[in-house]
Amino acid sequence: MTASAPPVSDAEPPRIVLSTINARFIHASLGLRCLLANLDRHGRPGLRAQTVLREFTLAQKPVQMAEQLLALKPQVIGLGVYIWNAVPSLQLVRLLKALAPEIRIVLGGPEVSHEVDQQEICRLADHVVTGWGDVSFARLCRALLDGPPPLMKVIAGEQPPLAELTLPYAEYSPRDLAERLLYVEASRGCPYRCEFCLSALDKTAWPFELQTFLAELGALWDRGARHFKFVDRTFNLRIDQASGILQFFLDRMRLPDGSLPERSEVFVHFELVPDKLPDELKALIVQFPEGSLQFEVGIQSFNPEVQQAISRRQDNQRTADNLRWLLSNSRAHVHADLIFGLPGETLESFAAGFDRLHALGPHEIQLGLLKRLRGAPIARHTESAGMVYDSEPPYALLRNACVDFETVQRFGRMARYWDLVANAGRFAQALQLLLAGPSAFAAFMQWSDWLWQRTGKTHEFAQEALVDFLFEHLVQVRQLPEAEVLQALLNDYLASGARGKPRCLAQPLQAADLARGQGVAGAARAERQARHVSQAQSTKQAVRQAAAAS
Ligand code: B12
Ligand code: SF4
């Protein structure tokens, strides 16, 4: 059910169902809400009221999705297809076509917007809308329901001036507002041409009219929304627009006396172009309270030759200066991305880039493996750079002329362990010991290779097991003083609030308990307080992590 339109009544089943499979429940589909919001305006009055939204997650089975969709007995099912749901979406469409071939299946979304004729899912569907769907889906539905029937199977999505679109934010339900990360967009497209990225095809960016957008944001705020992720590819492209948005949030966070709080329940996530941070933006950024602002800063590679090969324009010096500024002057959580496997990037040059980035001290470094997205211009390097990709989504690189399969696999494990040990933020002190030396990358790779040999797994590590493995590695392999290692692990473990019993910390934990002199009642009180604080923080923590996932 949505705030803007009444639900379809029991007596009158929906004629259209819009559906997609989100990565997780916390991610609400903005794309489908855009389609919903424009049905009346660009289809015909009354279409919105004949439509319902059904979102699934990757944890659900396609057969159950099919059951739920078919129970609605619609005439048209529109399905949003993305790289993360390409496989279950194909299974779902197969089931729907086998069970109810009379239902018109319309596909849309980035995964089916390119290489249409090479995809089984597109062959099975009745229609595929490529690119933007806001206007074209509405028109197609009108034609499917009222006639005359459309002649074309594949329809190039029309991109109207943004002012002609109805914004989708009233389509967020009260439950979306309370429990999910709200995606919002102040602009579409990107003027840059980084060849690994689908937005490279846009060639330019178009802003939504600022006051109209802020009015919608204000309405969301008034309904209680506090967690926002901007999907703008380049938030700081237009400084006047970015300033207006930052000012919007600052104004709403102010206390009655006009000051800003030290901490805030508000959470806003933006993607930044790293080499563009004028003073006007800095002056606003510094005012944001702790925990309220998160920036995703795409670095991808610090190697100028690689940047040139993939047409990425980036001033490395200015990027480093801006990151340093953000980390030392603002309270924003900074999350920086690197991509492994770009054409011309060797393990050594990637390591140098990682070390350079790590030295700047971002809160998180996201280590991604290159993927060949359908339609992305990087395909032009496939032969010349010896790129071999997995043929299954997400089409990850398997090897290229610079890195062999074994190295790619090593990197994949390292990235996974990096998430567990570094990005999870539970080993601040132990990480310093682990990464010490001339190259943080080499040090972490050594630990990663060791942990893989020792355990043969990359998942299902309890925190306590990681503590014991870190102890073993730091003392036996790195030969660090046992007392120093234990102290670091103990401090990290206590700070994390975990309550288990890592073997290596059995004695120190007992001693710490005694030293704190906590009686049974004191310990129980402390635990209750900890539980209370952690419940209050958990929603925001989940939102922060979901926003950082990319
Ligand atoms: C939010 C998001 C995610 C979320 C998931 C959200 C969810 N719902 O579950 C998370 C963070 C999990 C995620 C992960 C990844 N993502 Co992502 N993500 C996005 C992001 C930032 C926003 C999507 C959005 O809301 N856009 C705004 C809406 C308005 O646009 P839209 O969704 O494209 O919808 C329009 C059209 O596509 C179309 N449309 C959509 N659905 C339908 C349905 C029908 C019936 C019709 C007719 C039309 C239609 O009409 C809509 C309105 O015009 C986009 C970038 C971007 N700014 O779009 C990338 C993007 C979708 N992601 C991308 C990629 C590559 C990834 C990753 C592989 C990245 C990685 N880690 O390497 C992973 C997936 C990992 C995996 N396991 O496979 C690519 C898409 C590739 C693809 N073919 O799908 C994008 C486009 C980024 C890019 N520029 O390259 N992502
Ligand atoms: S990586 Fe970022 S800057 Fe480059 S084209 Fe994609 S969205 Fe634009």
Side-chain angles (χ1 to χ4, degrees), residues 383-429:
E383 265 183 42
S384 58
M387 317 293 279
V388 178
Y389 299 94
D390 194 344
S391 57
E392 291 294 304
Y395 320 111
L397 182 82
L398 296 172
R399 70 169 148 81
N400 67 23
C402 295
V403 287
D404 59 16
F405 179 56
E406 194 192 336
T407 308
V408 171
Q409 288 290 94
R410 272 178 86 200
F411 170 80
R413 290 190 285 270
M414 175 182 171
R416 167 70 192 151
Y417 294 146
W418 180 260
D419 274 344
L420 281 179
V421 175
N423 287 343
R426 291 176 304 194
F427 293 104
Q429 295 195 14

Side-chain angles (χ1 to χ4, degrees), residues 118-129:
Q118 296 168 32
Q119 300 192 55
E120 163 84 354
I121 192 171
C122 298
R123 196 181 58 72
L124 290 170
D126 296 286
H127 294 281
V128 181
V129 177

Side-chain angles (χ1 to χ4, degrees), residues 18-24 27-32 34-35 55 58 77-85 106-114 128-137 140 165 183 185 187-189 196-200 202 229-233 271 366 368-371 373-374 393-395 546-550:
L18 265 173
S19 186
T20 193
I21 308 170
N22 293 316
R24 288 193 291 130
H27 302 284
S29 167
L30 177 61
L32 291 192
C34 290
L35 302 193
E55 291 176 279
L58 289 175
I77 295 180
L79 193 64
V81 189
Y82 295 80
I83 194 165
W84 57 82
N85 67 25
V106 180
L107 303 180
E111 184 67 4
V112 290
S113 290
H114 309 275
V128 181
V129 177
T130 61
W132 303 117
D134 320 65
V135 167
S136 303
F137 181 70
L140 176 61
L165 295 183
Y183 286 101
E185 55 173 357
S187 64
R188 277 191 183 173
F196 57 84
C197 175
L198 265 192
S199 303
D202 297 338
K229 174 168 171 172
F230 280 70
V231 298
D232 303 44
R233 310 308 288 155
E271 263 185 55
Q366 166 100 28
L369 179 59
L370 179 67
K371 295 164 182 82
L373 307 183
R374 291 184 186 277
Y395 320 111
S550 54

Side-chain angles (χ1 to χ4, degrees), residues 312-491:
R312 184 171 169 89
R313 279 192 280 134
Q314 179 173 299
D315 180 327
N316 285 343
Q317 190 52 48
R318 231 186 290 151
T319 295
D321 290 347
N322 284 340
L323 269 179
R324 208 175 288 110
W325 181 89
L326 276 174
L327 290 158
S328 43
N329 295 283
S330 82
R331 284 170 285 184
H333 192 267
V334 178
H335 168 106
D337 300 341
L338 288 175
I339 297 181
F340 184 73
L342 290 167
E345 187 90 275
T346 60
L347 184 66
E348 292 69 32
S349 72
F350 185 84
F354 177 96
D355 286 341
R356 184 170 181 185
L357 179 58
H358 177 257
L360 293 166
H363 302 101
E364 281 183 41
I365 298 179
Q366 166 100 28
L367 295 173
L369 179 59
L370 179 67
K371 295 164 182 82
R372 189 199 73 87
L373 307 183
R374 291 184 186 277
I378 197 150
R380 78 182 176 98
H381 292 283
T382 298
E383 265 183 42
S384 58
M387 317 293 279
V388 178
Y389 299 94
D390 194 344
S391 57
E392 291 294 304
Y395 320 111
L397 182 82
L398 296 172
R399 70 169 148 81
N400 67 23
C402 295
V403 287
D404 59 16
F405 179 56
E406 194 192 336
T407 308
V408 171
Q409 288 290 94
R410 272 178 86 200
F411 170 80
R413 290 190 285 270
M414 175 182 171
R416 167 70 192 151
Y417 294 146
W418 180 260
D419 274 344
L420 281 179
V421 175
N423 287 343
R426 291 176 304 194
F427 293 104
Q429 295 195 14
L431 196 63
Q432 283 188 19
L433 298 178
L434 190 63
L435 299 183
S439 163
F441 182 89
F444 200 86
M445 188 59 111
Q446 187 196 14
W447 146 255
S448 169
D449 290 344
W450 177 87
L451 187 62
W452 172 245
Q453 280 195 349
R454 177 79 174 71
T455 65
K457 64 178 191 177
T458 51
H459 287 73
E460 292 166 2
F461 283 103
Q463 190 183 348
E464 288 69 29
L466 278 177
V467 172
D468 284 326
F469 286 127
L470 278 166
F471 176 74
E472 192 180 329
H473 180 79
L474 290 171
V475 173
Q476 290 179 17
V477 181
R478 300 284 176 89
Q479 308 260 300
L480 295 179
E482 187 173 320
E484 190 185 353
V485 172
L486 275 180
Q487 193 58 55
L489 287 169
L490 178 66
N491 293 346

